Amino acid sequence: MEKKEEEIKLKSPIRCIVKLGGAAITCKNDFEKINEDDLITVSSQLREAMIMSKSFSPGPVLEMDWSKRPGISETLSRVDDFAGQQVLHYHNFVVIHGAGSFGHFQASKSGVHKGGLNQPLVKAGFVATRISVTSLNLEIVRALAREGIPSVAMSPFSCGWSTRQRNIVSADVSNVVEALDSGFVPVLHGDAVLDESLGCTILSGDVIISHLAAHLRPQFVVFLTDVSGVYDRPPSEPNAILLREIAVREDGSWSVVKPTFEGTKQVEISVASHDTTGGMVTKISEAALIAKLGIDVYIVKAATKHSLTALSGKLREEIPEDWLGTIIRYVS
Amino acid sequence: MEKKEEEIKLKSPIRCIVKLGGAAITCKNDFEKINEDDLITVSSQLREAMIMSKSFSPGPVLEMDWSKRPGISETLSRVDDFAGQQVLHYHNFVVIHGAGSFGHFQASKSGVHKGGLNQPLVKAGFVATRISVTSLNLEIVRALAREGIPSVAMSPFSCGWSTRQRNIVSADVSNVVEALDSGFVPVLHGDAVLDESLGCTILSGDVIISHLAAHLRPQFVVFLTDVSGVYDRPPSEPNAILLREIAVREDGSWSVVKPTFEGTKQVEISVASHDTTGGMVTKISEAALIAKLGIDVYIVKAATKHSLTALSGKLREEIPEDWLGTIIRYVS
């Protein structure tokens, strides 16, 4: 197993870092449109997975978004629901989301990922990208808060995270740790950030997950996406085979251990992807880096019974025969 | 003049830190409603004050909010406006805004400012307050970006700012400096933050201004509010007199130097105020702290010709007879 990086002391260990894939929570062909139904289901599953004691009835959902909502006049009375309520204990979770149909257009049209802040278009694109991704972030924080999850927005740019040649050089996780230690669920996202050599770039949610996993050592990592996992070919093609289990070795190389293929068939990898930072090749490489730390990674379709199973942590004990998804884990 | 705190090296000096008062940019008696008209005027005045060369025609406003907007289908084509555009040079500005009718209800109902995160109501109130104030922050960033101002949201909680007994203990301004050095306009706001002894509290926009002024040494500070300045009594009362100039002395005490009052009349201070952190007494004390650093403070009604005069920096040279507002400055 890889040498541990400087480890952060948390009051309680982190149970899970979960990535809400941009393609899963937004409508990918509809500019800046959230997939409301799936986001509600995902939030509800997260709540269920986060509550510690399964035997204890958690009571009613205590909504933590008390803002005005179109068509609803009753938000102000939500405060009264808290009278006499007990403190619930939650597993420590961190949520990171992608951009999907938010931010992608602004970033690619202006070339923010290539840098060059002295160009008016790039600078404007930086501003426009951040407006778009932070507006998505706000809606995700709201959706989680409405499920009673104490979610707090933590934008990487605001946190002072920056890169050099697109590699993270400054990403102090102490703010994230303090939020966790105070009982909150930090919600981060892929963001436009400053880059020491390029001026600016895009820091993808997958790179953020990898960084946080190395420093926070969660028990497991879940990628919620819009297909069932990693396939041997584009999942839209007939006969595409879902790769159930991928083993990562000490040297970072990996191979499919389930299902077993005849001969030495080359596995072609594809998952519908919707980001400016490389799609599935990035995802699998980042997942392998996480797995190398001894942390199991589950890639699963969002808002399904399979995603609830993954989020609950049950896969660490036993993988049900009918579970659909991809497990990426370290083998010594 | 007060001993300088550890000073930060900026590429170019900061021209101005401006506070958009909550009462000026929101409709104070209307829950979570922005004062759209005034916000547009304020944004336009800020753009005018920020552009460096007055002789150079700045050309069309290049909008930097490329998000979807209700009723407007043309946002995507904004990108084309940038073709062939020159880089404009801006004075360094930092914007901080209050909460007004955002966040106030959530914070006061739950008692976030008193701390106690182990109480479900306080914890929920922290989440709800942040949702409300960050949604206002997003709209202000958007309004500025639509005026071509390269605005970037920087939420104090996300920046890792925290307090002990409500006093700032951790508020690293290096993120703000890096954003400024890269040519952006950081937009901060009053926020719910972690407090080392109380668990949590509210960090007001006025305290943030004071902290930033001490570290960034702007040439001047402007408070945009919903009345013309500081009065000798509630401005709604008949015969209320606008205090034109307040002098701050070495020991922090202050006195009204203009207009002159007969005898030793005690000046009663009042400005319509709408925050959980103390209203005008806080504002005047914070303004005096800033003035003690040798930085002129102008308190002026937002979206008037007087606010444009204050933002432009002209008051540093000469105060027009017909200028309406309050100047707070250090006298040795």
Side-chain angles (χ1 to χ4, degrees):
Chain A
M1 219 177 291
E2 195 147 89
K3 188 178 141 287
K4 286 195 178 186
E5 291 193 41
E6 169 191 10
E7 211 168 326
I8 310 283
K9 202 76 193 162
L10 275 153
K11 278 190 195 163
S12 344
I14 298 216
R15 174 84 163 167
C16 174
I17 298 180
V18 55
K19 164 81 182 285
L20 312 186
I25 50 165
T26 72
C27 305
K28 54 186 168 182
N29 296 319
D30 206 340
F31 181 51
E32 293 190 342
K33 188 163 163 51
I34 288 172
N35 183 338
E36 299 279 359
D37 292 346
D38 279 4
L39 181 55
I40 289 172
T41 307
V42 164
S43 302
S44 164
Q45 290 190 350
L46 277 169
R47 171 182 154 86
E48 192 174 336
M50 281 179 195
I51 293 174
M52 264 186 168
S53 170
K54 291 293 172 195
S55 56
F56 169 72
S57 161
V61 171
L62 297 170
E63 297 197 27
M64 297 187 184
D65 175 11
W66 304 343
S67 282
K68 200 163 63 178
R69 297 183 206 171
I72 300 175
S73 58
E74 288 304 300
T75 50
L76 304 199
S77 66
R78 298 224 165 81
V79 177
D80 303 331
D81 300 342
F82 284 80
Q85 288 296 327
Q86 282 180 280
V87 181
L88 283 182
H89 292 284
Y90 290 91
H91 290 292
N92 268 340
F93 270 62
V94 176
V95 173
I96 292 146
H97 62 84
S101 61
F102 288 73
H104 178 73
F105 159 79
Q106 288 90 344
S108 60
K109 271 287 184 181
S110 58
V112 172
H113 59 290
K114 289 182 286 189
L117 279 177
N118 56 340
Q119 298 164 54
L121 180 61
V122 175
K123 192 172 186 177
F126 189 99
V127 170
T129 301
R130 293 211 72 234
I131 286 174
S132 186
V133 294
T134 55
S135 71
L136 174 61
N137 181 251
L138 178 62
E139 292 312 313
I140 290 174
V141 167
R142 273 192 208 281
L144 296 171
R146 288 175 189 176
E147 283 293 325
I149 295 170
S151 51
V152 286
M154 300 197 90
S155 222
F157 172 82
S158 306
C159 290
W161 291 22
S162 62
T163 55
R164 187 188 302 126
Q165 287 291 342
R166 302 197 181 93
N167 295 311
I168 286 180
V169 285
S170 164
D172 182 2
V173 299
S174 60
N175 304 352
V176 176
V177 168
E178 273 160 33
L180 285 165
D181 280 346
S182 297
F184 293 108
V185 176
V187 184
L188 291 83
H189 58 88
D191 202 2
V193 296
L194 302 181
D195 184 284
E196 283 180 18
S197 55
L198 305 169
C200 65
T201 194
I202 298 292
L203 179 63
S204 81
D206 291 338
V207 174
I208 295 169
I209 282 224
S210 188
H211 181 79
L212 287 180
H215 287 84
L216 302 179
R217 303 276 161 166
Q219 291 173 339
F220 56 98
V221 166
V222 178
F223 286 86
L224 299 178
T225 181
D226 63 337
V227 290
S228 287
V230 182
Y231 288 81
D232 67 333
R233 73 199 78 177
S236 55
E237 284 185 16
N239 306 322
I241 294 165
L242 178 65
L243 309 179
R244 303 298 185 112
E245 199 171 334
I246 292 171
V248 179
R249 284 174 297 271
E250 183 65 43
D251 63 0
S253 68
W254 52 269
S255 55
V256 178
V257 294
K258 195 176 165 198
T260 46
F261 292 94
E262 285 170 34
T264 54
K265 183 176 174 296
Q266 182 69 33
V267 175
E268 183 194 341
I269 286 161
S270 180
V271 162
S273 149
H274 202 266
D275 62 50
T276 45
T277 48
M280 202 54 202
V281 177
T282 308
K283 197 181 295 303
I284 200 100
S285 317
E286 296 290 339
L289 282 175
I290 297 167
K292 261 185 76 183
L293 301 166
I295 300 164
D296 285 3
V297 177
Y298 312 126
I299 302 178
V300 60
K301 186 165 182 166
T304 59
K305 65 175 184 170
H306 309 291
S307 57
L308 182 57
T309 303
L311 291 168
S312 72
K314 286 177 192 152
L315 297 176
R316 299 175 69 222
E317 291 143 30
E318 194 192 349
I319 299 154
E321 260 316 302
D322 65 347
W323 186 74
L324 280 184
T326 302
I327 295 179
I328 301 175
R329 57 161 60 128
Y330 176 79
V331 283
S332 54
Chain B
M1 219 175 290
E2 194 147 271
K3 189 179 138 289
K4 285 197 177 184
E5 290 191 41
E6 156 190 23
E7 211 167 324
I8 310 284
K9 203 75 191 163
L10 275 152
K11 278 190 195 163
S12 345
I14 297 217
R15 175 84 164 166
C16 174
I17 299 180
V18 55
K19 164 82 184 282
L20 312 186
I25 49 165
T26 72
C27 304
K28 54 184 167 183
N29 297 318
D30 207 340
F31 181 51
E32 293 189 343
K33 187 164 163 51
I34 289 171
N35 183 339
E36 300 278 359
D37 292 346
D38 279 5
L39 180 56
I40 288 171
T41 306
V42 164
S43 302
S44 164
Q45 290 190 351
L46 277 168
R47 171 182 154 84
E48 193 173 334
M50 280 178 196
I51 292 173
M52 264 185 168
S53 170
K54 291 293 172 195
S55 57
F56 169 72
S57 161
V61 171
L62 298 170
E63 297 198 27
M64 298 187 183
D65 174 12
W66 303 343
S67 282
K68 198 164 65 179
R69 298 183 205 172
I72 301 175
S73 59
E74 287 304 299
T75 50
L76 304 199
S77 67
R78 297 223 166 82
V79 177
D80 303 331
D81 299 342
F82 284 80
Q85 289 296 328
Q86 281 182 278
V87 181
L88 283 182
H89 292 282
Y90 290 92
H91 289 292
N92 268 340
F93 270 62
V94 177
V95 173
I96 292 148
H97 63 83
S101 61
F102 288 73
H104 178 73
F105 159 79
Q106 289 89 345
S108 60
K109 270 286 184 181
S110 58
V112 171
H113 58 291
K114 291 183 286 190
L117 279 177
N118 55 341
Q119 299 163 53
L121 179 62
V122 175
K123 192 171 187 178
F126 188 98
V127 170
T129 301
R130 293 211 72 236
I131 287 174
S132 186
V133 293
T134 56
S135 71
L136 174 61
N137 181 251
L138 177 62
E139 292 312 313
I140 290 174
V141 168
R142 273 192 207 281
L144 296 171
R146 288 175 189 176
E147 282 294 325
I149 296 170
S151 52
V152 286
M154 302 198 89
S155 222
F157 172 82
S158 306
C159 290
W161 290 24
S162 63
T163 55
R164 186 189 301 125
Q165 288 290 342
R166 299 196 185 92
N167 296 309
I168 287 180
V169 286
S170 164
D172 182 2
V173 299
S174 60
N175 304 352
V176 176
V177 168
E178 274 161 32
L180 284 165
D181 279 346
S182 297
F184 293 108
V185 176
V187 184
L188 292 83
H189 58 88
D191 201 3
V193 297
L194 302 180
D195 184 284
E196 284 181 15
S197 54
L198 304 169
C200 65
T201 194
I202 298 292
L203 180 62
S204 82
D206 291 338
V207 174
I208 294 168
I209 282 223
S210 188
H211 180 79
L212 288 180
H215 287 83
L216 303 180
R217 303 275 161 169
Q219 292 173 338
F220 55 98
V221 166
V222 178
F223 285 87
L224 299 178
T225 180
D226 63 337
V227 290
S228 288
V230 182
Y231 288 80
D232 67 334
R233 73 199 77 178
S236 55
E237 286 185 16
N239 306 322
I241 295 165
L242 178 65
L243 309 180
R244 302 298 185 111
E245 198 171 334
I246 292 171
V248 178
R249 285 175 296 271
E250 182 64 44
D251 63 0
S253 68
W254 52 269
S255 54
V256 179
V257 295
K258 195 180 166 195
T260 45
F261 293 94
E262 287 170 31
T264 54
K265 184 175 174 295
Q266 182 69 34
V267 175
E268 183 196 339
I269 286 162
S270 180
V271 162
S273 149
H274 203 268
D275 62 50
T276 45
T277 47
M280 201 53 203
V281 177
T282 309
K283 197 182 293 304
I284 201 98
S285 317
E286 296 289 340
L289 282 174
I290 296 166
K292 261 185 75 183
L293 301 166
I295 300 163
D296 285 2
V297 177
Y298 312 126
I299 302 180
V300 61
K301 186 165 182 167
T304 60
K305 64 175 183 171
H306 310 291
S307 58
L308 182 57
T309 303
L311 291 168
S312 72
K314 285 177 193 153
L315 298 177
R316 298 174 71 222
E317 291 142 31
E318 193 193 351
I319 299 154
E321 259 318 301
D322 65 347
W323 186 75
L324 280 184
T326 301
I327 295 180
I328 301 175
R329 56 161 61 127
Y330 175 79
V331 283
S332 54

